[in-house]
Amino acid sequence: IAIKSGVSVTLVHGYNGTILGESSKTDVLPNGTASYNFTTSFECSPGPNTLDDIAQKPCSVMTVTEVLQKEKKQKEKTMRLGQAVVDLLPLLQGQCSFKVSVPLYAVPSESLHPEGKGGLEVTVCAKEPLLSATQLSNGNFLSITEAAYSVPEEFAVAGPQQNYVACLQVPAAGEKELPLLFTNGILKLAGEKEPLPRPKKWPLANIMAPDALSIPNSFIVGGPYEDEDGELNNTEDREFRIQAENAKRIVWTWRGRCYLDAAAAATLQKRILECRYWPVEVCRVSVASPSKGKASKADKGDEDKQISFHGVAYVNTVPLLCPGVKQIRGAFPVFAYQDSEVFEKTKSQQSVFQDLRTQLSLTKEGLWMPELISRAVSSKTQKEDKEKISRIPTTGLQLYAQPFIMPVMALDRAALRAQYLSSQRYVEARTFLVMEIKLDKALVPKRLQEELSRRVKEMIPPRPLLPPRTGGAKKAVEDYHNRVTSIAVAILSEYHEQFGRRLPDQGMIDHQTLEEQRRQLNFELNSSGKYFAFKEQLKYAVVKIVREKYLKTTAFETQEELQTFLSELYMYLVDQMHVALNQLLSEEDAPPAAQYHTTEEQLWLFAHEAEVNKDYKLASLYHQQRVAQDQRNIQYWLDYGAFYLLLEETTKAQECFQQALSLDPHHVPSLLLCGIVAAGLQHYEEAEIFFEDACCLEPSSVVAWTLSGLFYELHNDNIQAEMAFREAKKLLQVQFAKERSVPEAAEGEGDKHISAGCARSPNPNPEESLPDSSADKLPEATAPEEEIMAPKEEVMTPKEEVRAPKEEATGPEAALKAPSPGSGRSQPPCTIFMKAVEFLMKVNAFQFVHRALAHELLSPQGGPSCAYYLTLAQTYLLKEDFSKCEQCLCEALKIDYMNPNVWAQKGHLGYLKKDFDEAKECYERTISFVEDATDMHFIYLRLGSIYLEEKEYGRAKQTYLLACKNSASCLTWLGVGIACYRLKELVEAEDALSEANALDSSNAEVWGYLALVCLHGGRELEAEQCYKYTIKLGSKNEALLREIRATQQRLGFGDPAL
């Protein structure tokens, strides 16, 4: 230590309020250091120095004192120079010995250089580990910090001295609980600054060096309000929190920490399961000045009235039971303490302050040594308690305590009323506690990502690699042909380079010239080495023919046998060479006929059309074609599985989703869908692994956490469900906060891009509200309608929430997209459940859709919105429950009359009810909006069919052309062809029908109308061929068949039977 030389110093070691020993005097060397050879010890056993004491007060205080020169006939005097604190926690973490270098903090003194930095080297040893290996693995440490904000105005620095106290019960082994007391809260005035981050302090008293109280490298670090676990963490509470944290507040600077053995940790877990709320009581106590003699009865009555502002905060500790959660932090409002309310929420019979009584004495003039006091002491008499306190050693680092009596007797009505009114001031001031409860290890361990991935691979092994390609004799000959062809092309190119390309009109070349060119070409090939390269290229193909066709793999026994084989092989190779050259030279240069190749998008559209038209056999065929095109495309398998979910064939859907997951075990949508179908099949253990793995792989996914919560709720695990929903809400708030800046940044330029006639404000969260697929599946409702139907509320939900456009809208165009005019109502933000509904509706997971809708109905941020009713109407429409569907659509229109999606669904309802007038009116209204509805393709198809039925062929043609422009398919071009045929535009009709035929050559109706066009065009052979395909493909349009036969009878051709 850097102390002036020539000074004699001693080292005093104290622990838990007791001086353990004092070293002999040691002189400070000229270099400012002093060496101690000083050892002290204490016994750690049941008694004053228990494991709880080491955890709660893991501090060994080292005090360096200067020995002053004594005068004659006087005792030797000392003066404190510095103090150091040693944390004994490593002894509870499995270490038997450790050596630390701790800083020595100065006590104001002339002997210590101001610029000097001191330190002590301390070695701590234990004869044996304090905890066995089992205790070490099963034990835990609990630490708590807290502060109070927005305190009542009555809390003031001036006036009588007050002590601000907070206390909570820490569950321990058995039925007993350990009260953890926070006293001497520091009242900070408004504007009073604190160090950021705020350091945590040791629970020590009588420390002469103030800096020694701070725990090294330990701070109370806050975070975003949205990430907290308590209340007051919404966006609308942000301004209030900021103001409260800069206003009058109470701060408890020390950290409460205790050791939990296996039994105590189990009790804590059981306590949270039985009652989720943990009561934290707060109060203000007037500190009486020390007085001599016995207090009078009047004085005792005054002492009974010293407690006031008795409040309680209910801390939701359920998150501690979630896997992997080791810490909760948040703001918790303080309420007036009422026994009945506290018992109802926490099952606590009485106030914790009644248990403590005089065992928790207030400190000497406002200083307090916080302790863990067992509940067992509450059964002893006050006299025994005082005697027990008097037996605590008070030598060395002495604590001067001034006891006070907590109120335990009945109060009169006036006192009760005054106490209740003072407690009510917490509610009026909106007081809240900011608490941090931290565990060293999670109560419920979380499975590692590696373990989850291993379990997923065990359930769904990755797809094996394709087997090696085996070639037979036919393949060997084909390879030989290909090699001969490539060499011939190379030789021909070499010939053209030497002698040029001769055109056909230049006539034949004479034989002598050809022979000369052949010799020159052979010379060039031999001299350049190309001839040898060509032979090497042929060698491998010839070897394969020998092995695969002639099965020769061993050496020949005689030379004659070898020569015979070579002659046979030579003849065969020459013959096959001529075959390959003839094929090459016989190929014509005419361009191949045009072939139509359907793209992936077209196949998906065709499959979706078939699903909506309930032609499931055709839809399955298109899905199979997609998978056949690319069996390693994950999305193809997911779409195929969603199709089987639509058919309620869960087992086949599971096979498809597992196939997708085998291609990529880390694909989150595949994991979610595997979890959904596993839950539907009641394979809950597998489903939990899938959902947990998805959340681990993509912890920022709102949909993943929401679906996990829905699953846990289905599995009756309410704690896990609540945690998952809370995590999803946090993530959604973060997304809103990030994306809200996009419209704000563009607000200055909004007038340049947004139409002046647009009355509805842009969606503040455009990217999140737009899903990434155009699938608009109609879900099936399975829950009772009483649980889902709700009375109308004036709540508006942006229609973007239920849309599924083909391409995700991103960038400034999405942020500034102007919705349809006519509605000036505000748009609430999308909830986590509507986010989940978007995903679930695309994959036809209707069981989870109903659960999400039920939560949306009860959610404070949700409710019966337009999106809610629209989704519910789709479920009823799929069940063909038209009356319920119509009710939902009417409620949706009351909320958002200008929503094109609602009018589109209303049109679909009329179309399926055969009420074509109603459907036509709704479809026409839908296409008149500025914004397009989600399923414009089917709106055009059905509106066009209505026009055809009503013989409005011109309008039908224009409507179908709009559909072709938007997303062409066989049905859209068929509609155009029919309309043109009825308009006598045969050329245009044939062109449109040809396009339809190219997209789907198996559509019998297309062949039928092609037959009619050919009949009217007088093309007998083509008309007959088209009619044959119409009959062969099994056309079910009887009206079309009658028209074809009538035309054939009238014209006298087109039917082979005529």
Side-chain angles (χ1 to χ4, degrees):
I1 24 181
I3 306 174
K4 292 188 297 184
S5 61
V7 176
S8 297
V9 293
T10 61
L11 180 66
V12 180
H13 180 208
Y15 176 75
N16 200 12
T18 304
I19 293 180
L20 300 179
E22 181 177 355
S23 70
S24 58
K25 292 189 294 183
T26 303
D27 294 332
V28 178
L29 301 177
N31 60 0
T33 62
S35 298
Y36 300 98
N37 187 11
F38 173 57
T39 302
T40 59
S41 64
F42 66 89
E43 183 179 358
C44 182
S45 60
N49 298 324
T50 62
L51 297 180
D52 283 333
D53 289 330
I54 295 179
Q56 171 63 14
K57 297 167 289 188
C59 311
S60 181
V61 181
M62 309 286 184
T63 305
V64 177
T65 60
E66 178 184 357
V67 181
L68 302 178
Q69 294 181 357
K70 64 179 181 178
E71 299 179 0
K72 295 180 179 181
K73 299 181 181 181
Q74 288 185 353
K75 292 184 178 180
E76 192 175 61
K77 295 182 178 181
T78 60
M79 181 179 66
R80 295 178 179 176
L81 299 178
Q83 289 181 318
V85 178
V86 179
D87 192 355
L88 302 182
L89 185 63
L91 295 178
L92 295 181
Q93 294 176 335
Q95 298 186 30
C96 291
S97 64
F98 62 93
K99 183 178 182 180
V100 292
S101 179
V102 293
L104 182 65
Y105 298 99
V107 176
S109 171
E110 296 180 357
S111 301
L112 192 65
H113 296 305
E115 68 279 1
K117 293 183 180 180
L120 286 176
E121 288 188 358
V122 182
T123 301
V124 181
C125 300
K127 293 182 178 179
E128 59 184 20
L130 299 184
L131 300 175
S132 65
T134 304
Q135 290 176 319
L136 189 63
S137 61
N138 297 331
N140 211 333
F141 293 95
L142 174 69
S143 62
I144 300 174
T145 58
E146 60 180 302
Y149 296 92
S150 188
V151 297
E153 291 295 331
E154 289 80 358
F155 289 6
V157 177
Q161 187 177 1
Q162 307 289 344
N163 192 351
Y164 302 99
V165 183
C167 188
L168 69 157
Q169 301 268 28
V170 179
E175 295 296 327
K176 73 173 184 178
E177 292 182 335
L178 303 176
L180 185 60
L181 192 69
F182 294 79
T183 61
N184 295 327
I186 302 173
L187 181 62
K188 300 283 186 178
L189 300 179
E192 187 174 351
K193 301 296 182 181
E194 294 184 70
L196 293 177
R198 183 155 49 98
K200 296 179 182 180
K201 296 191 176 182
W202 297 113
L204 296 173
N206 208 22
I207 291 291
M208 303 302 295
D211 292 339
L213 283 175
S214 298
I215 303 176
N217 302 321
S218 183
F219 303 93
I220 300 175
V221 181
Y225 300 137
E226 295 80 6
D227 295 342
E228 293 182 347
D229 300 288
E231 303 178 33
L232 301 175
N233 55 0
N234 298 322
T235 306
E236 55 270 19
D237 301 319
R238 183 180 182 84
E239 184 177 355
F240 168 69
R241 291 282 301 272
I242 294 175
Q243 292 177 356
E245 291 176 2
N246 292 312
K248 190 186 301 182
R249 58 202 179 276
I250 298 174
V251 177
W252 288 276
T253 57
W254 67 278
R255 173 190 63 184
R257 185 170 64 186
C258 59
Y259 169 73
L260 302 177
D261 57 14
T267 302
L268 174 61
Q269 190 169 348
K270 179 182 176 182
R271 173 77 168 78
I272 298 175
L273 282 172
E274 293 174 349
C275 184
R276 64 175 55 199
Y277 292 109
W278 201 344
V280 180
E281 299 182 38
V282 293
C283 69
R284 187 182 75 172
V285 180
S286 300
V287 180
S289 58
S291 58
K292 298 180 179 180
K294 295 184 179 180
S296 64
K297 293 183 179 180
D299 295 335
K300 291 183 178 179
D302 292 339
E303 286 179 343
D304 290 338
K305 297 179 182 179
Q306 286 178 341
I307 186 173
S308 60
F309 293 94
H310 189 188
V312 61
Y314 302 104
V315 180
N316 186 3
T317 55
V318 168
L320 291 177
L321 294 186
C322 299
V325 175
K326 298 188 293 185
Q327 172 181 327
I328 58 174
R329 186 182 188 278
F332 304 93
V334 179
F335 302 93
Y337 186 91
Q338 299 182 24
D339 288 332
S340 59
E341 182 180 358
V342 173
F343 177 76
E344 179 182 356
K345 289 189 174 183
T346 68
K347 308 305 179 187
S348 295
Q349 299 284 349
Q350 59 187 5
S351 171
V352 64
F353 292 134
Q354 295 187 20
D355 291 340
L356 301 182
R357 299 186 180 184
T358 58
Q359 282 74 26
L360 298 183
S361 300
L362 281 186
T363 65
K364 154 227 156 184
E365 272 85 56
L367 293 178
W368 175 259
M369 169 80 74
E371 297 182 70
L372 286 171
I373 308 294
S374 171
R375 173 179 280 185
V377 300
S378 61
S379 61
K380 298 183 180 180
T381 63
Q382 181 176 336
K383 181 178 179 180
E384 292 172 342
D385 295 333
K386 289 184 178 180
E387 291 176 355
K388 181 177 179 180
I389 292 177
S390 64
R391 290 197 300 267
I392 297 178
T394 56
T395 58
L397 301 178
Q398 189 173 3
L399 298 179
Y400 300 91
Q402 175 62 39
F404 83 105
I405 308 299
M406 300 295 286
V408 294
M409 61 185 66
L411 302 177
D412 56 20
R413 288 187 176 181
L416 286 174
R417 177 175 176 81
Q419 190 174 26
Y420 174 76
L421 291 178
S422 66
S423 301
Q424 195 66 22
R425 291 290 293 132
Y426 287 125
V427 180
E428 298 172 0
R430 297 184 65 186
T431 304
F432 61 92
L433 293 179
V434 175
M435 296 192 62
E436 179 184 86
I437 302 175
K438 189 174 182 180
L439 293 165
D440 187 57
K441 292 181 290 189
L443 292 177
V444 181
K446 183 177 181 180
R447 283 180 285 206
L448 298 177
Q449 174 61 45
E450 294 76 10
E451 180 185 356
L452 292 172
S453 299
R454 179 182 57 80
R455 294 287 301 275
V456 169
K457 289 181 179 180
E458 289 176 356
M459 292 186 293
I460 306 174
R463 293 189 64 184
L465 297 177
L466 294 176
R469 299 177 62 182
T470 57
K474 182 178 179 181
K475 182 66 170 56
V477 175
E478 289 178 356
D479 291 344
Y480 177 72
H481 287 174
N482 294 334
R483 187 61 61 188
V484 169
T485 301
S486 64
I487 293 175
V489 172
I491 294 175
L492 187 59
S493 300
E494 187 70 23
Y495 175 84
H496 288 159
E497 289 182 5
Q498 281 193 326
F499 307 108
R501 184 184 296 272
R502 189 174 183 85
L503 300 178
D505 57 356
Q506 294 180 351
M508 297 294 293
I509 304 177
D510 59 89
H511 179 71
Q512 184 177 358
T513 304
L514 283 176
E515 283 295 325
E516 181 63 27
Q517 290 180 352
R518 184 178 65 83
R519 286 195 297 269
Q520 294 181 15
L521 180 61
N522 286 336
F523 176 79
E524 178 63 26
L525 293 177
N526 282 284
S527 60
S528 61
K530 293 180 181 179
Y531 180 79
F532 178 77
F534 292 153
K535 286 201 305 181
E536 289 297 318
Q537 293 178 20
L538 275 175
K539 180 185 295 185
Y540 179 69
V542 173
V543 170
K544 287 179 62 178
I545 288 178
V546 172
R547 290 178 177 176
E548 299 293 337
K549 185 170 180 61
Y550 290 93
L551 303 179
K552 294 293 184 179
T553 57
T554 59
F556 293 95
E557 296 180 357
T558 63
Q559 188 69 19
E560 293 180 358
E561 186 180 353
L562 174 61
Q563 291 298 328
T564 302
F565 173 75
L566 291 178
S567 299
E568 183 182 354
L569 177 63
Y570 177 77
M571 293 174 61
Y572 178 79
L573 293 177
V574 171
D575 290 341
Q576 293 301 320
M577 178 189 69
H578 290 158
V579 171
L581 293 177
N582 289 334
Q583 290 178 354
L584 175 63
L585 298 176
S586 63
E587 292 182 355
E588 298 181 0
D589 295 334
Q595 296 182 358
Y596 286 91
H597 297 282
T598 53
T599 63
E600 182 274 332
E601 293 81 5
Q602 288 176 323
L603 286 176
W604 183 90
L605 177 62
F606 301 162
H608 189 35
E609 278 183 342
E611 291 173 12
V612 174
N613 295 330
K614 297 188 177 181
D615 189 352
Y616 299 128
K617 184 178 180 181
L618 182 60
S620 178
L621 177 62
Y622 284 127
H623 282 296
Q624 291 172 7
Q625 290 182 14
R626 294 182 74 205
V627 171
Q629 284 187 358
D630 186 2
Q631 295 187 12
R632 303 193 68 83
N633 190 300
I634 295 176
Q635 189 60 45
Y636 296 173
W637 287 106
L638 297 185
D639 292 339
Y640 201 10
F643 166 71
Y644 278 121
L645 281 182
L646 180 65
L647 302 182
E648 297 184 355
E649 297 184 16
T650 310
T651 304
K652 291 185 178 180
Q654 184 183 39
E655 293 176 1
C656 294
F657 296 146
Q658 290 182 352
Q659 188 73 15
L661 190 60
S662 67
L663 296 173
D664 183 4
H666 295 161
H667 190 247
V668 174
S670 300
L671 285 167
L672 294 176
L673 291 173
C674 285
I676 288 172
V677 294
L681 295 173
Q682 298 184 357
H683 300 163
Y684 296 123
E685 184 178 355
E686 294 181 7
E688 182 178 8
I689 293 174
F690 288 131
F691 285 118
E692 190 174 347
D693 194 17
C695 293
C696 288
L697 289 172
E698 193 171 345
S700 61
S701 173
V702 176
V703 173
W705 284 107
T706 306
L707 294 183
S708 297
L710 294 175
F711 161 73
Y712 286 123
E713 184 185 61
L714 177 66
H715 195 38
N716 296 323
D717 191 344
N718 296 326
I719 293 178
Q720 289 277 59
E722 182 180 343
M723 185 277 293
F725 290 147
R726 184 173 59 253
E727 185 67 24
K729 290 176 182 178
K730 287 182 184 179
L731 294 172
L732 190 60
Q733 289 178 0
V734 172
Q735 291 180 8
F736 284 153
K738 290 180 179 179
E739 294 169 359
R740 194 175 293 113
S741 60
V742 177
E744 292 176 355
E747 185 177 357
E749 302 178 1
D751 296 338
K752 300 178 183 179
H753 302 281
I754 301 179
S755 171
C758 178
R760 187 182 299 176
S761 62
N763 184 6
N765 185 25
E767 296 183 8
E768 272 298 317
S769 63
L770 293 176
D772 55 1
S773 173
S774 62
D776 185 26
K777 310 290 190 298
L778 301 177
E780 178 179 1
T782 54
E785 51 266 25
E786 291 79 10
E787 298 181 4
I788 302 178
M789 292 293 291
K792 176 187 73 73
E793 293 184 7
E794 290 299 322
V795 181
M796 177 180 171
T797 300
K799 54 179 160 287
E800 289 81 2
E801 294 181 7
V802 291
R803 292 205 185 133
K806 287 185 178 179
E807 298 180 45
E808 183 176 357
T810 56
E813 292 81 10
L816 299 176
K817 184 177 180 181
S820 60
S823 176
R825 297 172 183 170
S826 61
Q827 299 179 2
C830 179
T831 64
I832 62 172
F833 302 109
M834 293 311 298
K835 291 288 183 187
V837 165
E838 289 178 2
F839 175 82
L840 296 170
M841 291 292 286
K842 297 174 191 175
V843 297
N844 306 314
F846 306 132
Q847 179 187 17
F848 278 70
V849 166
H850 268 287
R851 290 191 169 273
L853 288 177
H855 277 281
E856 175 70 11
L857 184 62
L858 301 176
S859 173
Q861 297 82 17
S865 60
C866 179
Y868 170 84
Y869 282 120
L870 185 57
T871 305
L872 192 58
Q874 292 174 349
T875 64
Y876 288 130
L877 191 63
L878 186 64
K879 290 176 61 179
E880 297 186 356
D881 191 345
F882 298 140
S883 60
K884 295 285 181 61
C885 178
E886 188 170 5
Q887 292 178 16
C888 293
L889 291 176
C890 290
E891 294 296 331
L893 285 176
K894 292 178 183 179
I895 298 175
D896 189 358
Y897 191 78
M898 303 302 292
N899 193 322
N901 285 304
V902 181
W903 286 104
Q905 290 299 318
K906 195 171 178 63
H908 296 329
L909 174 64
Y911 187 86
L912 295 178
K913 290 170 59 180
K914 307 299 182 181
D915 187 354
F916 296 124
D917 292 335
E918 173 73 12
K920 175 182 174 182
E921 180 183 353
C922 294
Y923 286 147
E924 289 177 344
R925 182 188 291 268
T926 302
I927 64 177
S928 66
F929 285 119
V930 176
E931 277 186 293
D932 287 339
T934 300
D935 52 351
M936 291 301 297
H937 181 80
F938 299 99
I939 293 172
Y940 288 137
L941 282 178
R942 290 177 172 177
L943 181 58
S945 67
I946 294 174
Y947 285 146
L948 288 178
E949 289 292 330
E950 297 180 353
K951 298 184 179 181
E952 298 183 38
Y953 302 124
R955 302 183 70 178
K957 176 183 176 181
Q958 295 302 320
T959 303
Y960 278 118
L961 284 174
L962 287 174
C964 292
K965 181 180 179 181
N966 185 47
S967 52
S969 69
C970 174
L971 298 182
T972 59
W973 283 115
L974 174 61
V976 175
I978 295 173
C980 291
Y981 172 76
R982 299 303 179 190
L983 293 171
K984 307 301 182 182
E985 300 171 355
L986 298 183
V987 176
E988 294 184 10
E990 184 176 2
D991 291 340
L993 293 171
S994 298
E995 289 289 337
N997 185 262
L999 292 174
D1000 183 7
S1001 60
S1002 63
N1003 191 303
E1005 194 170 353
V1006 174
W1007 286 107
Y1009 278 100
L1010 279 173
L1012 286 174
V1013 171
C1014 293
L1015 285 171
H1016 285 285
R1019 290 141 56 181
E1020 180 177 350
L1021 179 61
E1022 294 173 79
E1024 184 175 324
Q1025 288 294 104
C1026 292
Y1027 176 68
K1028 287 180 180 179
Y1029 278 110
T1030 304
I1031 300 301
K1032 182 178 180 180
L1033 294 172
S1035 176
K1036 298 179 181 180
N1037 192 336
E1038 294 296 333
L1040 176 61
L1041 291 175
R1042 287 195 299 269
E1043 183 178 1
I1044 294 174
R1045 293 190 181 104
T1047 305
Q1048 290 171 343
Q1049 291 290 340
R1050 180 167 51 85
L1051 296 177
F1053 65 89
D1055 186 352
L1058 294 177

